[in-house]
Amino acid sequence: MRQDQEDPYQRRSAQVYAAADRAAGSVASPRAVLYDAVLLDRDGTLIEDVPYNGDPEKVRPVPGARAALDRLRAAGLRLAVVTNQSGLARGYFTGEQMRAVHARVEELLGRFDAWLVCPHDDADGCDCRKPAPGLVYAAARELGTTPSRCVLVGDIGRDVGAAMAAGAAGVLVPTPVTRPEEVAAAGWVATDLPAAVAEILRRQQAVQPSTPPTEPVRTALVVRSDSAGDVLVTGPAIRAVAAGAERVVLLCGPRGRAAANLLPGVDEIIEHPLPWIDPAPGPVDPEAMRSLSARLGAVGADQAVVFTSFHQSALPLALLLRMAGINRIAAISDDYPGSLLDIRHRVPVGVPEPERALSLAAAAGHRLPDGDEPVLRLRRDAVPPRPADVGDPGYVVLHPGSAASSRACPPEVATRIVGALADAGHRVLVTGGPDERAVTARVAAAGGTDLGGRTDLAGLAAIVADASAVVVGNTGPAHLAAAAGVPVVSLFAPTVPFGQWGPYRVPTVRLGDAAAPCRDTRAASCPVPGHPCLSGVDPGDVVDALRTLAVSGGGGR
Ligand SMILES: [Zn+2]
């Protein structure tokens, strides 16, 4: 329907969800691409920001907007505008004036598939004024897709916050009014609208193989060393390889083994530490390396795909694989690989780890089959039933610890968070590993239930799956939550980029100081006295974050 044939303010105001709900019946069958739709903020993103503008003559597109939007249209992406217009609530312009402005926008920039407008003021407490996620949910419904298949482009933190709270991707295109802390907190930043569009299309393309494998793959050896979280975020890429191979053998390290057991698509696991990957590596034992090489040779793989994190090298293992007789090896490598790799793949900084890995799988000729969403997933049969004594679903899980102390929530902060959540009516389960019992006991004493040491990773996955939200740092359980589609309040220490390691494709609110001095240090223990990135988290902000994620106290959701 054309916008000039209807009343977008009346029909498309997020107050009117009924029409959008009906549209949800037309959800397109998911394809193995990242995005169906691009949502665009209006003022400061598509057009120059003229405060409370009701005059079509003052509409000025940002440079390159028309051509950039036409590129998205040509790529088959649907477009919606999601815009806060509190000037309506404040009476600065009328709905009719706003529609005239939107008609002028379409005259200059081409047609949009939907317009979603929040007409409220902050004081209205609506669920659609960004950073609340209501407009993103409504846009996705109206476009016949889901938020996780949308990417939102905006110029301020409210835009990115709304995208993330709905589980959509958010791109920040800063302008002079964008605050530095908003830029620091954003996981994806582009210099201007055309650059944002170019990167959206590049990421979309990067997970599609340009050519299928030249020869069929009977056995694929996939490799992901390192810890549980690393293995979990590689899951979509391993499923893509599994879709193109008859058998998948996964080489993982001891710290990733429990996560490897949870991954769909893996037929067999080889567990072996790689001393050049481990943060606390043992010495290189020549005999152990010879025995690993022999073991890898016995796999009989006709292809190896070596997944690494952005700061790890795949080349030492590639040499072992060559010595094991494997002659088709793919890996990401900025370092010159010589004859160690057959497919040397490169990825720009900032791409989410699951997409980074999917793009390597694509370079090796593999893609997710239609219908398999590019989200984290676990094998159902590997997750045990939830223990009965933790109560009914609908609790909030707080997981204060992390294998890397730089990414753990300080116990005193976690304690105050538990108290604030309990006061707000939430049932809180405090989880942690066997070596974190002292901390979980102390934290839970503020009003939660202590489950420290009660679960292994699979058991924790079961508890997380029935939570209404998980409050957690940048550590494995955040990815368990993403795999279960459970919203995350991410207490994210900025030691590594949020855009790469933030919870993937799940509603998320990020808290903590994104500009703290530990930023991008990759430190395992906090290099700054007082752990300032997380010690300043206000427990009230966690309560507010749950409200933004539509998680209410009293066990409901
Ligand atoms: Zn609103």
Side-chain angles (χ1 to χ4, degrees):
M1 231 182 288
R2 288 290 316 236
Q3 139 145 34
D4 57 10
Q5 293 169 333
E6 60 193 43
D7 180 339
Y9 169 53
Q10 286 302 319
R11 192 177 76 76
R12 289 172 170 167
S13 152
Q15 287 174 307
V16 187
Y17 275 110
D21 282 336
R22 282 193 297 276
S26 65
V27 169
S29 65
R31 292 174 304 129
V33 293
L34 299 175
Y35 307 118
D36 294 328
V38 180
L39 317 183
L40 298 126
D41 171 54
R42 196 192 83 175
D43 301 324
T45 301
L46 287 175
I47 59 175
E48 284 171 17
D49 187 12
V50 178
Y52 306 115
N53 181 28
D55 179 0
E57 294 306 310
K58 291 186 182 156
V59 171
R60 299 272 178 279
V62 303
R66 176 71 200 233
L69 295 172
D70 284 345
R71 284 190 72 191
L72 295 173
R73 293 179 179 115
L77 287 153
R78 311 186 77 189
L79 304 183
V81 181
V82 288
T83 178
N84 284 354
Q85 293 298 335
S86 64
L88 287 168
R90 298 174 193 183
Y92 293 159
F93 51 81
T94 65
E96 195 180 338
Q97 286 173 311
M98 185 186 72
R99 287 191 293 280
V101 167
H102 291 176
R104 179 65 178 152
V105 171
E106 290 205 325
E107 207 176 302
L108 293 167
L109 295 180
R111 190 178 167 273
F112 292 89
D113 299 292
W115 285 82
L116 286 301
V117 177
C118 167
H120 308 114
D121 205 341
D122 273 331
D124 294 330
C126 68
D127 62 3
C128 49
R129 181 164 165 79
K130 295 175 286 183
L135 291 183
V136 179
Y137 281 112
R141 281 193 211 106
E142 188 151 338
L143 298 175
T145 184
T146 56
S148 70
R149 301 184 62 80
C150 296
V151 51
L152 187 156
V153 185
D155 67 322
I156 58 173
R158 279 178 181 265
D159 298 309
V160 176
M164 284 182 25
V171 191
L172 184 73
V173 178
T175 69
V177 306
T178 313
R179 300 201 308 268
E181 59 269 31
E182 295 176 330
V183 179
W188 182 352
V189 179
T191 51
D192 55 23
L193 180 59
V197 164
E199 179 62 7
I200 289 166
L201 293 172
R202 193 201 63 75
R203 291 189 186 187
Q204 181 95 318
Q205 199 63 46
V207 300
Q208 299 299 314
S210 50
T211 52
T214 44
E215 296 162 53
V217 179
R218 289 182 307 277
T219 296
L221 175 68
V222 296
V223 182
R224 188 60 162 104
S225 203
D226 225 327
S227 63
D230 303 275
V231 172
L232 292 173
V233 298
T234 311
I238 291 174
R239 300 202 308 271
V241 174
E246 288 171 25
R247 171 171 165 255
V248 171
V249 179
L250 169 63
L251 169 65
C252 69
R255 291 177 305 118
R257 175 58 189 259
N261 291 339
L262 300 177
L263 290 187
V266 175
D267 298 297
E268 191 183 323
I269 297 171
I270 297 175
E271 176 188 325
H272 201 290
L274 302 182
W276 51 92
I277 297 288
D278 272 7
V284 175
D285 173 0
E287 193 44 50
M289 289 301 112
R290 273 189 286 271
S291 118
L292 174 60
S293 185
R295 213 170 150 193
L296 295 174
V299 168
D302 29 22
Q303 183 182 50
V305 185
V306 182
F307 297 102
T308 46
S309 185
F310 69 108
H311 57 282
Q312 298 168 343
S313 174
L315 298 184
L317 183 68
L319 177 59
L320 281 193
L321 294 171
R322 282 284 190 246
M323 292 171 70
I326 297 176
N327 55 23
R328 289 161 69 189
I329 306 175
I332 295 173
S333 187
D334 285 329
D335 289 334
Y336 173 64
S339 51
L340 291 179
L341 300 179
D342 303 285
I343 294 170
R344 176 206 196 178
H345 184 56
R346 303 183 83 169
V347 185
V349 175
V351 176
E353 289 286 319
E355 287 174 27
R356 195 171 176 278
L358 274 170
S359 76
L360 173 59
H366 304 289
R367 47 163 269 183
L368 285 169
D370 288 350
D372 188 357
E373 284 290 282
V375 294
L376 309 193
R377 286 207 286 120
L378 307 182
R379 293 166 56 131
R380 278 174 198 278
D381 62 349
V383 177
R386 180 173 49 90
D389 63 340
V390 302
D392 292 332
Y395 43 77
V396 172
V397 168
L398 172 69
H399 191 92
S402 167
S405 63
S406 60
R407 297 188 259 123
C409 180
E412 56 280 6
V413 176
T415 302
R416 285 190 285 121
I417 290 172
V418 169
L421 293 177
D423 286 347
H426 294 284
R427 276 184 297 135
V428 185
L429 306 185
V430 181
T431 56
D435 52 344
E436 294 167 341
R437 281 192 178 120
V439 169
T440 60
R442 180 181 151 196
V443 169
T449 301
D450 179 18
L451 298 181
R454 278 273 304 273
T455 57
D456 58 10
L457 192 73
L460 183 56
I463 288 171
V464 162
D466 279 335
S468 51
V470 176
V471 183
V472 63
N474 175 24
T475 188
H479 305 301
L480 293 179
V486 170
V488 178
V489 178
S490 177
L491 309 175
F492 196 94
T495 54
V496 292
F498 183 76
Q500 293 181 217
W501 287 101
Y504 188 61
R505 289 197 167 213
V506 69
T508 300
V509 173
R510 177 187 187 171
L511 297 178
D513 179 1
C518 64
R519 185 178 172 93
D520 295 338
T521 59
R522 301 201 298 265
S525 59
C526 183
V528 190
H531 200 10
C533 66
L534 295 178
S535 59
V537 168
D538 179 348
D541 289 346
V542 178
V543 175
D544 289 346
L546 290 176
R547 200 173 296 126
T548 297
L549 294 167
V551 177
S552 58
R557 183 168 165 184

